[in-house]
Amino acid sequence: MSRTIRGAAASLFMLASALTLSAGVADAQSKPPLKIGGILDMSSLYADITGPGSETAAKMAVEDFGGEVLGRKIEVLAADHLNKADLAANIARDMLDNQGVEMIWDVAASATALAAGEIAKARNKIIIFNGPGSVRLSNEACGPYTVHYVFDTFAQANVTGLAAVKSGLDSWFFLTADYAFGQDLEKDTSAVVVKSGGKVLGSVRHPLNTSDFSSFLLQAQASKAKVIGLANAGGDTINAIKQAAEFGLTKGGQKLSPLLAFVSDIDSVGLETAQGLLVAEAFYWDLNDDTRAFTKRFMARTKRVPTSAQAGVYSSVTHYLKAVKAAGTTDPDAVMKLMRATDIDDMFAKGGRIREDGRMVHDMYLFEVKKPSESKGKSDDYKLLATVPGNEAFQPLEASRCPLVKK
């Protein structure tokens, strides 16, 4: 074969290869993106717990996964629900009906989560809850495509309440946020206290996002309870702790127990005021080498350590994308089957698993807030007291009120 003919053949081969490659790229580009939508508190009392940090965690998960799956680019959407249940439902409806979202994540706050969850359930779409805590999400409000990932009121009550009563703090009074999450947290903690031999002396409910706790704290002080349980979260927890210190409640011998607190709350309160508090958490940035490595990358973007909710967003989005890749489809039945069948082993959970009621079961931790003299710097807030296995921390499956659970 002459050199000219060989050259022409090589040129034709290269042209054919280029055309094939171009067709493959064009085919990938022609596929619609896989959209996952976060419904967050971006501007109110839970913004530090979830908010922009959760959006960052979701984007990190997508980037670490490679940015695409099944030849589809992955897009992260996020919207602010302003802590309004009706707005959360409308956002979920718009995302699923009009924007082509295939999975919803986070949905900070319980009332908003319950509302968005009903929309996702009606459309047979996967929804993963990271920021909300109401145990109803894996009980009465459960669904075949619903996952409650990070924590819930049962586990928070079980880990904190049991430890407190065992240490002799056996009489309680509750300051409770007047919505689903606060009510469930008070109910679940009361049950743990009474079952453990303690007494509940009373409770008072306060409006969500209130700035003045004086009347509620005076009622708690008058109860003479050994423990004032704060069945609230975010800005409400921060304000209640600060104002309790101003009223001198802890100096009078009563102990505050925030039943849901995040490291961001402790940073806001300060160790001088928060020292000695018992806190149940699903994650802490300084637990081990894996949590510290993730935190270093997260802080490079946000300038703050991740909360358990934000770490849970990264973990759950990654778990979902792995299931989509393994299933070869975004079909919710196929994806959920693999999500339930595959253990979660990452910086958030070791041996975590999703049960048939949607509860992701994993270890929980009991921490004591450090004294200022014990801390090495900002966000070095906790010392670990106990690791509680998931099957002891979370509600037993046989006690579930989820209609999907076979009795």
Side-chain angles (χ1 to χ4, degrees), residues 237-275:
T237 298
I238 292 167
N239 287 332
I241 293 172
K242 287 181 176 178
Q243 291 177 39
E246 293 169 5
F247 273 81
L249 264 68
T250 52
K251 290 181 179 178
Q254 290 177 299
K255 191 173 183 67
L256 285 181
S257 178
L259 300 173
L260 178 62
F262 296 83
V263 68
S264 55
D265 301 328
I266 304 303
D267 284 343
S268 295
V269 171
L271 296 183
E272 188 64 43
T273 300
Q275 60 182 304

PDB file of all heavy atoms in Angstrom, residues 237-275:
ATOM      1  N   THR A 237     -33.544  28.263  70.761  1.00  0.00           N
ATOM      2  CA  THR A 237     -32.675  27.653  71.768  1.00  0.00           C
ATOM      3  C   THR A 237     -31.610  28.641  72.229  1.00  0.00           C
ATOM      4  O   THR A 237     -31.350  28.785  73.433  1.00  0.00           O
ATOM      5  CB  THR A 237     -32.005  26.384  71.203  1.00  0.00           C
ATOM      6  OG1 THR A 237     -33.020  25.427  70.865  1.00  0.00           O
ATOM      7  CG2 THR A 237     -31.052  25.763  72.206  1.00  0.00           C
ATOM      8  N   ILE A 238     -31.005  29.329  71.286  1.00  0.00           N
ATOM      9  CA  ILE A 238     -29.960  30.308  71.608  1.00  0.00           C
ATOM     10  C   ILE A 238     -30.504  31.399  72.528  1.00  0.00           C
ATOM     11  O   ILE A 238     -29.913  31.720  73.567  1.00  0.00           O
ATOM     12  CB  ILE A 238     -29.394  30.929  70.313  1.00  0.00           C
ATOM     13  CG1 ILE A 238     -28.618  29.878  69.516  1.00  0.00           C
ATOM     14  CG2 ILE A 238     -28.493  32.120  70.628  1.00  0.00           C
ATOM     15  CD1 ILE A 238     -28.287  30.311  68.104  1.00  0.00           C
ATOM     16  N   ASN A 239     -31.652  31.975  72.177  1.00  0.00           N
ATOM     17  CA  ASN A 239     -32.227  33.050  72.985  1.00  0.00           C
ATOM     18  C   ASN A 239     -32.650  32.561  74.365  1.00  0.00           C
ATOM     19  O   ASN A 239     -32.475  33.270  75.366  1.00  0.00           O
ATOM     20  CB  ASN A 239     -33.433  33.665  72.261  1.00  0.00           C
ATOM     21  CG  ASN A 239     -33.030  34.517  71.081  1.00  0.00           C
ATOM     22  OD1 ASN A 239     -31.934  35.079  71.067  1.00  0.00           O
ATOM     23  ND2 ASN A 239     -33.897  34.627  70.086  1.00  0.00           N
ATOM     24  N   ALA A 240     -33.209  31.343  74.429  1.00  0.00           N
ATOM     25  CA  ALA A 240     -33.643  30.805  75.721  1.00  0.00           C
ATOM     26  C   ALA A 240     -32.453  30.590  76.655  1.00  0.00           C
ATOM     27  O   ALA A 240     -32.519  30.917  77.851  1.00  0.00           O
ATOM     28  CB  ALA A 240     -34.400  29.491  75.521  1.00  0.00           C
ATOM     29  N   ILE A 241     -31.346  30.067  76.140  1.00  0.00           N
ATOM     30  CA  ILE A 241     -30.159  29.836  76.968  1.00  0.00           C
ATOM     31  C   ILE A 241     -29.578  31.167  77.458  1.00  0.00           C
ATOM     32  O   ILE A 241     -29.238  31.322  78.635  1.00  0.00           O
ATOM     33  CB  ILE A 241     -29.095  29.038  76.183  1.00  0.00           C
ATOM     34  CG1 ILE A 241     -29.592  27.614  75.899  1.00  0.00           C
ATOM     35  CG2 ILE A 241     -27.784  28.973  76.958  1.00  0.00           C
ATOM     36  CD1 ILE A 241     -28.691  26.823  74.971  1.00  0.00           C
ATOM     37  N   LYS A 242     -29.471  32.121  76.552  1.00  0.00           N
ATOM     38  CA  LYS A 242     -28.916  33.429  76.928  1.00  0.00           C
ATOM     39  C   LYS A 242     -29.772  34.119  77.974  1.00  0.00           C
ATOM     40  O   LYS A 242     -29.258  34.662  78.969  1.00  0.00           O
ATOM     41  CB  LYS A 242     -28.783  34.316  75.684  1.00  0.00           C
ATOM     42  CG  LYS A 242     -27.656  33.913  74.743  1.00  0.00           C
ATOM     43  CD  LYS A 242     -27.589  34.850  73.548  1.00  0.00           C
ATOM     44  CE  LYS A 242     -26.415  34.522  72.633  1.00  0.00           C
ATOM     45  NZ  LYS A 242     -26.364  35.407  71.449  1.00  0.00           N
ATOM     46  N   GLN A 243     -31.079  34.104  77.789  1.00  0.00           N
ATOM     47  CA  GLN A 243     -31.963  34.785  78.732  1.00  0.00           C
ATOM     48  C   GLN A 243     -32.069  34.039  80.055  1.00  0.00           C
ATOM     49  O   GLN A 243     -32.228  34.655  81.110  1.00  0.00           O
ATOM     50  CB  GLN A 243     -33.333  34.994  78.089  1.00  0.00           C
ATOM     51  CG  GLN A 243     -33.292  36.015  76.950  1.00  0.00           C
ATOM     52  CD  GLN A 243     -34.615  36.191  76.234  1.00  0.00           C
ATOM     53  OE1 GLN A 243     -35.677  36.188  76.852  1.00  0.00           O
ATOM     54  NE2 GLN A 243     -34.556  36.342  74.918  1.00  0.00           N
ATOM     55  N   ALA A 244     -31.958  32.710  80.014  1.00  0.00           N
ATOM     56  CA  ALA A 244     -31.942  31.941  81.261  1.00  0.00           C
ATOM     57  C   ALA A 244     -30.727  32.319  82.098  1.00  0.00           C
ATOM     58  O   ALA A 244     -30.814  32.416  83.336  1.00  0.00           O
ATOM     59  CB  ALA A 244     -31.934  30.448  80.962  1.00  0.00           C
ATOM     60  N   ALA A 245     -29.593  32.551  81.438  1.00  0.00           N
ATOM     61  CA  ALA A 245     -28.388  32.983  82.158  1.00  0.00           C
ATOM     62  C   ALA A 245     -28.595  34.359  82.775  1.00  0.00           C
ATOM     63  O   ALA A 245     -28.183  34.621  83.918  1.00  0.00           O
ATOM     64  CB  ALA A 245     -27.200  33.001  81.207  1.00  0.00           C
ATOM     65  N   GLU A 246     -29.254  35.257  82.045  1.00  0.00           N
ATOM     66  CA  GLU A 246     -29.532  36.602  82.573  1.00  0.00           C
ATOM     67  C   GLU A 246     -30.453  36.545  83.782  1.00  0.00           C
ATOM     68  O   GLU A 246     -30.325  37.346  84.708  1.00  0.00           O
ATOM     69  CB  GLU A 246     -30.168  37.461  81.470  1.00  0.00           C
ATOM     70  CG  GLU A 246     -29.224  37.776  80.308  1.00  0.00           C
ATOM     71  CD  GLU A 246     -29.944  38.392  79.122  1.00  0.00           C
ATOM     72  OE1 GLU A 246     -31.163  38.661  79.245  1.00  0.00           O
ATOM     73  OE2 GLU A 246     -29.295  38.596  78.070  1.00  0.00           O
ATOM     74  N   PHE A 247     -31.382  35.596  83.786  1.00  0.00           N
ATOM     75  CA  PHE A 247     -32.303  35.435  84.914  1.00  0.00           C
ATOM     76  C   PHE A 247     -31.650  34.701  86.094  1.00  0.00           C
ATOM     77  O   PHE A 247     -32.235  34.611  87.173  1.00  0.00           O
ATOM     78  CB  PHE A 247     -33.550  34.653  84.475  1.00  0.00           C
ATOM     79  CG  PHE A 247     -34.637  35.501  83.891  1.00  0.00           C
ATOM     80  CD1 PHE A 247     -34.574  35.911  82.581  1.00  0.00           C
ATOM     81  CD2 PHE A 247     -35.722  35.903  84.648  1.00  0.00           C
ATOM     82  CE1 PHE A 247     -35.562  36.697  82.018  1.00  0.00           C
ATOM     83  CE2 PHE A 247     -36.726  36.699  84.106  1.00  0.00           C
ATOM     84  CZ  PHE A 247     -36.645  37.095  82.781  1.00  0.00           C
ATOM     85  N   GLY A 248     -30.478  34.150  85.886  1.00  0.00           N
ATOM     86  CA  GLY A 248     -29.781  33.451  86.958  1.00  0.00           C
ATOM     87  C   GLY A 248     -30.349  32.097  87.286  1.00  0.00           C
ATOM     88  O   GLY A 248     -30.190  31.604  88.415  1.00  0.00           O
ATOM     89  N   LEU A 249     -31.019  31.456  86.308  1.00  0.00           N
ATOM     90  CA  LEU A 249     -31.640  30.153  86.584  1.00  0.00           C
ATOM     91  C   LEU A 249     -30.614  29.102  86.965  1.00  0.00           C
ATOM     92  O   LEU A 249     -30.817  28.337  87.918  1.00  0.00           O
ATOM     93  CB  LEU A 249     -32.438  29.676  85.358  1.00  0.00           C
ATOM     94  CG  LEU A 249     -33.947  30.005  85.393  1.00  0.00           C
ATOM     95  CD1 LEU A 249     -34.162  31.506  85.287  1.00  0.00           C
ATOM     96  CD2 LEU A 249     -34.675  29.299  84.256  1.00  0.00           C
ATOM     97  N   THR A 250     -29.515  29.033  86.220  1.00  0.00           N
ATOM     98  CA  THR A 250     -28.528  27.998  86.512  1.00  0.00           C
ATOM     99  C   THR A 250     -27.794  28.274  87.827  1.00  0.00           C
ATOM    100  O   THR A 250     -27.426  27.337  88.543  1.00  0.00           O
ATOM    101  CB  THR A 250     -27.517  27.878  85.362  1.00  0.00           C
ATOM    102  OG1 THR A 250     -26.981  29.175  85.074  1.00  0.00           O
ATOM    103  CG2 THR A 250     -28.187  27.329  84.113  1.00  0.00           C
ATOM    104  N   LYS A 251     -27.601  29.541  88.155  1.00  0.00           N
ATOM    105  CA  LYS A 251     -26.976  29.874  89.437  1.00  0.00           C
ATOM    106  C   LYS A 251     -27.870  29.485  90.607  1.00  0.00           C
ATOM    107  O   LYS A 251     -27.388  29.236  91.713  1.00  0.00           O
ATOM    108  CB  LYS A 251     -26.663  31.366  89.492  1.00  0.00           C
ATOM    109  CG  LYS A 251     -25.537  31.790  88.552  1.00  0.00           C
ATOM    110  CD  LYS A 251     -25.248  33.277  88.664  1.00  0.00           C
ATOM    111  CE  LYS A 251     -24.104  33.683  87.738  1.00  0.00           C
ATOM    112  NZ  LYS A 251     -23.838  35.148  87.784  1.00  0.00           N
ATOM    113  N   GLY A 252     -29.165  29.421  90.350  1.00  0.00           N
ATOM    114  CA  GLY A 252     -30.117  29.021  91.388  1.00  0.00           C
ATOM    115  C   GLY A 252     -30.222  27.519  91.543  1.00  0.00           C
ATOM    116  O   GLY A 252     -31.006  27.040  92.367  1.00  0.00           O
ATOM    117  N   GLY A 253     -29.459  26.767  90.751  1.00  0.00           N
ATOM    118  CA  GLY A 253     -29.427  25.314  90.921  1.00  0.00           C
ATOM    119  C   GLY A 253     -30.142  24.531  89.842  1.00  0.00           C
ATOM    120  O   GLY A 253     -29.986  23.307  89.759  1.00  0.00           O
ATOM    121  N   GLN A 254     -30.933  25.205  89.010  1.00  0.00           N
ATOM    122  CA  GLN A 254     -31.604  24.493  87.924  1.00  0.00           C
ATOM    123  C   GLN A 254     -30.638  24.309  86.748  1.00  0.00           C
ATOM    124  O   GLN A 254     -29.752  25.122  86.538  1.00  0.00           O
ATOM    125  CB  GLN A 254     -32.847  25.262  87.473  1.00  0.00           C
ATOM    126  CG  GLN A 254     -33.965  25.248  88.513  1.00  0.00           C
ATOM    127  CD  GLN A 254     -35.172  26.079  88.084  1.00  0.00           C
ATOM    128  OE1 GLN A 254     -35.047  27.282  87.877  1.00  0.00           O
ATOM    129  NE2 GLN A 254     -36.317  25.449  87.964  1.00  0.00           N
ATOM    130  N   LYS A 255     -30.858  23.231  86.013  1.00  0.00           N
ATOM    131  CA  LYS A 255     -29.971  22.927  84.881  1.00  0.00           C
ATOM    132  C   LYS A 255     -30.763  22.996  83.581  1.00  0.00           C
ATOM    133  O   LYS A 255     -31.874  22.489  83.498  1.00  0.00           O
ATOM    134  CB  LYS A 255     -29.364  21.532  85.040  1.00  0.00           C
ATOM    135  CG  LYS A 255     -28.242  21.228  84.055  1.00  0.00           C
ATOM    136  CD  LYS A 255     -27.589  19.911  84.387  1.00  0.00           C
ATOM    137  CE  LYS A 255     -26.412  19.598  83.476  1.00  0.00           C
ATOM    138  NZ  LYS A 255     -25.277  20.515  83.658  1.00  0.00           N
ATOM    139  N   LEU A 256     -30.178  23.637  82.594  1.00  0.00           N
ATOM    140  CA  LEU A 256     -30.810  23.693  81.278  1.00  0.00           C
ATOM    141  C   LEU A 256     -30.389  22.485  80.453  1.00  0.00           C
ATOM    142  O   LEU A 256     -29.222  22.104  80.461  1.00  0.00           O
ATOM    143  CB  LEU A 256     -30.383  24.957  80.529  1.00  0.00           C
ATOM    144  CG  LEU A 256     -30.986  26.296  80.939  1.00  0.00           C
ATOM    145  CD1 LEU A 256     -30.430  27.385  80.048  1.00  0.00           C
ATOM    146  CD2 LEU A 256     -32.495  26.259  80.851  1.00  0.00           C
ATOM    147  N   SER A 257     -31.345  21.916  79.739  1.00  0.00           N
ATOM    148  CA  SER A 257     -31.033  20.820  78.833  1.00  0.00           C
ATOM    149  C   SER A 257     -31.634  21.140  77.467  1.00  0.00           C
ATOM    150  O   SER A 257     -32.830  20.960  77.246  1.00  0.00           O
ATOM    151  CB  SER A 257     -31.603  19.494  79.353  1.00  0.00           C
ATOM    152  OG  SER A 257     -31.320  18.452  78.439  1.00  0.00           O
ATOM    153  N   PRO A 258     -30.818  21.648  76.535  1.00  0.00           N
ATOM    154  CA  PRO A 258     -31.322  21.856  75.170  1.00  0.00           C
ATOM    155  C   PRO A 258     -31.484  20.508  74.492  1.00  0.00           C
ATOM    156  O   PRO A 258     -30.508  19.790  74.291  1.00  0.00           O
ATOM    157  CB  PRO A 258     -30.227  22.702  74.512  1.00  0.00           C
ATOM    158  CG  PRO A 258     -28.988  22.394  75.284  1.00  0.00           C
ATOM    159  CD  PRO A 258     -29.408  22.041  76.678  1.00  0.00           C
ATOM    160  N   LEU A 259     -32.707  20.147  74.155  1.00  0.00           N
ATOM    161  CA  LEU A 259     -32.983  18.803  73.649  1.00  0.00           C
ATOM    162  C   LEU A 259     -32.615  18.648  72.183  1.00  0.00           C
ATOM    163  O   LEU A 259     -32.550  17.534  71.673  1.00  0.00           O
ATOM    164  CB  LEU A 259     -34.452  18.455  73.879  1.00  0.00           C
ATOM    165  CG  LEU A 259     -34.845  18.483  75.371  1.00  0.00           C
ATOM    166  CD1 LEU A 259     -36.341  18.314  75.533  1.00  0.00           C
ATOM    167  CD2 LEU A 259     -34.095  17.410  76.139  1.00  0.00           C
ATOM    168  N   LEU A 260     -32.394  19.761  71.519  1.00  0.00           N
ATOM    169  CA  LEU A 260     -31.815  19.732  70.179  1.00  0.00           C
ATOM    170  C   LEU A 260     -30.936  20.962  70.034  1.00  0.00           C
ATOM    171  O   LEU A 260     -31.433  22.082  69.937  1.00  0.00           O
ATOM    172  CB  LEU A 260     -32.885  19.733  69.087  1.00  0.00           C
ATOM    173  CG  LEU A 260     -32.318  19.758  67.659  1.00  0.00           C
ATOM    174  CD1 LEU A 260     -31.485  18.504  67.392  1.00  0.00           C
ATOM    175  CD2 LEU A 260     -33.416  19.885  66.622  1.00  0.00           C
ATOM    176  N   ALA A 261     -29.634  20.746  70.064  1.00  0.00           N
ATOM    177  CA  ALA A 261     -28.693  21.847  69.890  1.00  0.00           C
ATOM    178  C   ALA A 261     -27.617  21.417  68.909  1.00  0.00           C
ATOM    179  O   ALA A 261     -27.263  20.238  68.833  1.00  0.00           O
ATOM    180  CB  ALA A 261     -28.068  22.234  71.226  1.00  0.00           C
ATOM    181  N   PHE A 262     -27.141  22.369  68.161  1.00  0.00           N
ATOM    182  CA  PHE A 262     -26.086  22.129  67.174  1.00  0.00           C
ATOM    183  C   PHE A 262     -24.848  22.918  67.579  1.00  0.00           C
ATOM    184  O   PHE A 262     -24.921  23.870  68.354  1.00  0.00           O
ATOM    185  CB  PHE A 262     -26.554  22.568  65.787  1.00  0.00           C
ATOM    186  CG  PHE A 262     -27.714  21.786  65.248  1.00  0.00           C
ATOM    187  CD1 PHE A 262     -29.014  22.108  65.624  1.00  0.00           C
ATOM    188  CD2 PHE A 262     -27.524  20.725  64.379  1.00  0.00           C
ATOM    189  CE1 PHE A 262     -30.097  21.389  65.132  1.00  0.00           C
ATOM    190  CE2 PHE A 262     -28.604  19.995  63.878  1.00  0.00           C
ATOM    191  CZ  PHE A 262     -29.885  20.335  64.261  1.00  0.00           C
ATOM    192  N   VAL A 263     -23.724  22.543  67.008  1.00  0.00           N
ATOM    193  CA  VAL A 263     -22.481  23.222  67.345  1.00  0.00           C
ATOM    194  C   VAL A 263     -22.570  24.709  67.001  1.00  0.00           C
ATOM    195  O   VAL A 263     -21.974  25.551  67.677  1.00  0.00           O
ATOM    196  CB  VAL A 263     -21.286  22.540  66.639  1.00  0.00           C
ATOM    197  CG1 VAL A 263     -21.356  22.742  65.127  1.00  0.00           C
ATOM    198  CG2 VAL A 263     -19.961  23.016  67.195  1.00  0.00           C
ATOM    199  N   SER A 264     -23.354  25.054  65.982  1.00  0.00           N
ATOM    200  CA  SER A 264     -23.542  26.463  65.623  1.00  0.00           C
ATOM    201  C   SER A 264     -24.265  27.219  66.740  1.00  0.00           C
ATOM    202  O   SER A 264     -23.989  28.407  66.979  1.00  0.00           O
ATOM    203  CB  SER A 264     -24.329  26.578  64.318  1.00  0.00           C
ATOM    204  OG  SER A 264     -25.558  25.876  64.394  1.00  0.00           O
ATOM    205  N   ASP A 265     -25.182  26.542  67.440  1.00  0.00           N
ATOM    206  CA  ASP A 265     -25.881  27.169  68.568  1.00  0.00           C
ATOM    207  C   ASP A 265     -24.910  27.437  69.715  1.00  0.00           C
ATOM    208  O   ASP A 265     -24.941  28.509  70.335  1.00  0.00           O
ATOM    209  CB  ASP A 265     -27.014  26.265  69.072  1.00  0.00           C
ATOM    210  CG  ASP A 265     -28.039  25.950  68.008  1.00  0.00           C
ATOM    211  OD1 ASP A 265     -28.268  26.815  67.137  1.00  0.00           O
ATOM    212  OD2 ASP A 265     -28.603  24.846  68.036  1.00  0.00           O
ATOM    213  N   ILE A 266     -24.062  26.456  70.006  1.00  0.00           N
ATOM    214  CA  ILE A 266     -23.102  26.606  71.101  1.00  0.00           C
ATOM    215  C   ILE A 266     -22.126  27.736  70.793  1.00  0.00           C
ATOM    216  O   ILE A 266     -21.768  28.537  71.670  1.00  0.00           O
ATOM    217  CB  ILE A 266     -22.350  25.284  71.354  1.00  0.00           C
ATOM    218  CG1 ILE A 266     -23.351  24.148  71.633  1.00  0.00           C
ATOM    219  CG2 ILE A 266     -21.372  25.442  72.511  1.00  0.00           C
ATOM    220  CD1 ILE A 266     -24.297  24.397  72.788  1.00  0.00           C
ATOM    221  N   ASP A 267     -21.692  27.831  69.538  1.00  0.00           N
ATOM    222  CA  ASP A 267     -20.812  28.935  69.141  1.00  0.00           C
ATOM    223  C   ASP A 267     -21.490  30.277  69.356  1.00  0.00           C
ATOM    224  O   ASP A 267     -20.862  31.248  69.779  1.00  0.00           O
ATOM    225  CB  ASP A 267     -20.402  28.790  67.673  1.00  0.00           C
ATOM    226  CG  ASP A 267     -19.338  27.726  67.454  1.00  0.00           C
ATOM    227  OD1 ASP A 267     -18.687  27.328  68.444  1.00  0.00           O
ATOM    228  OD2 ASP A 267     -19.155  27.296  66.306  1.00  0.00           O
ATOM    229  N   SER A 268     -22.790  30.349  69.043  1.00  0.00           N
ATOM    230  CA  SER A 268     -23.525  31.611  69.203  1.00  0.00           C
ATOM    231  C   SER A 268     -23.705  31.979  70.668  1.00  0.00           C
ATOM    232  O   SER A 268     -23.623  33.148  71.030  1.00  0.00           O
ATOM    233  CB  SER A 268     -24.896  31.500  68.522  1.00  0.00           C
ATOM    234  OG  SER A 268     -24.768  31.338  67.134  1.00  0.00           O
ATOM    235  N   VAL A 269     -23.966  30.982  71.494  1.00  0.00           N
ATOM    236  CA  VAL A 269     -24.169  31.234  72.927  1.00  0.00           C
ATOM    237  C   VAL A 269     -22.849  31.565  73.625  1.00  0.00           C
ATOM    238  O   VAL A 269     -22.775  32.450  74.474  1.00  0.00           O
ATOM    239  CB  VAL A 269     -24.832  30.002  73.590  1.00  0.00           C
ATOM    240  CG1 VAL A 269     -24.855  30.155  75.112  1.00  0.00           C
ATOM    241  CG2 VAL A 269     -26.244  29.816  73.056  1.00  0.00           C
ATOM    242  N   GLY A 270     -21.792  30.830  73.262  1.00  0.00           N
ATOM    243  CA  GLY A 270     -20.493  30.994  73.913  1.00  0.00           C
ATOM    244  C   GLY A 270     -20.323  29.993  75.038  1.00  0.00           C
ATOM    245  O   GLY A 270     -21.276  29.653  75.756  1.00  0.00           O
ATOM    246  N   LEU A 271     -19.112  29.504  75.221  1.00  0.00           N
ATOM    247  CA  LEU A 271     -18.846  28.473  76.222  1.00  0.00           C
ATOM    248  C   LEU A 271     -19.052  28.972  77.645  1.00  0.00           C
ATOM    249  O   LEU A 271     -19.391  28.183  78.539  1.00  0.00           O
ATOM    250  CB  LEU A 271     -17.420  27.936  76.059  1.00  0.00           C
ATOM    251  CG  LEU A 271     -17.111  27.207  74.750  1.00  0.00           C
ATOM    252  CD1 LEU A 271     -15.689  26.659  74.768  1.00  0.00           C
ATOM    253  CD2 LEU A 271     -18.099  26.072  74.499  1.00  0.00           C
ATOM    254  N   GLU A 272     -18.833  30.235  77.878  1.00  0.00           N
ATOM    255  CA  GLU A 272     -19.013  30.771  79.230  1.00  0.00           C
ATOM    256  C   GLU A 272     -20.426  30.523  79.734  1.00  0.00           C
ATOM    257  O   GLU A 272     -20.642  30.173  80.901  1.00  0.00           O
ATOM    258  CB  GLU A 272     -18.712  32.278  79.237  1.00  0.00           C
ATOM    259  CG  GLU A 272     -18.678  32.912  80.628  1.00  0.00           C
ATOM    260  CD  GLU A 272     -17.554  32.366  81.496  1.00  0.00           C
ATOM    261  OE1 GLU A 272     -16.425  32.202  80.990  1.00  0.00           O
ATOM    262  OE2 GLU A 272     -17.833  32.079  82.687  1.00  0.00           O
ATOM    263  N   THR A 273     -21.399  30.659  78.827  1.00  0.00           N
ATOM    264  CA  THR A 273     -22.807  30.440  79.184  1.00  0.00           C
ATOM    265  C   THR A 273     -23.231  28.992  78.990  1.00  0.00           C
ATOM    266  O   THR A 273     -24.017  28.463  79.769  1.00  0.00           O
ATOM    267  CB  THR A 273     -23.714  31.354  78.329  1.00  0.00           C
ATOM    268  OG1 THR A 273     -23.366  32.716  78.577  1.00  0.00           O
ATOM    269  CG2 THR A 273     -25.180  31.157  78.654  1.00  0.00           C
ATOM    270  N   ALA A 274     -22.699  28.333  77.961  1.00  0.00           N
ATOM    271  CA  ALA A 274     -23.166  26.991  77.600  1.00  0.00           C
ATOM    272  C   ALA A 274     -22.430  25.863  78.316  1.00  0.00           C
ATOM    273  O   ALA A 274     -22.880  24.716  78.261  1.00  0.00           O
ATOM    274  CB  ALA A 274     -23.029  26.795  76.093  1.00  0.00           C
ATOM    275  N   GLN A 275     -21.329  26.127  78.972  1.00  0.00           N
ATOM    276  CA  GLN A 275     -20.521  25.064  79.576  1.00  0.00           C
ATOM    277  C   GLN A 275     -21.357  24.154  80.478  1.00  0.00           C
ATOM    278  O   GLN A 275     -22.229  24.591  81.215  1.00  0.00           O
ATOM    279  CB  GLN A 275     -19.375  25.671  80.387  1.00  0.00           C
ATOM    280  CG  GLN A 275     -19.807  26.577  81.524  1.00  0.00           C
ATOM    281  CD  GLN A 275     -18.616  27.180  82.246  1.00  0.00           C
ATOM    282  OE1 GLN A 275     -17.748  26.465  82.729  1.00  0.00           O
ATOM    283  NE2 GLN A 275     -18.562  28.505  82.319  1.00  0.00           N
TER     284      GLN A 275
END
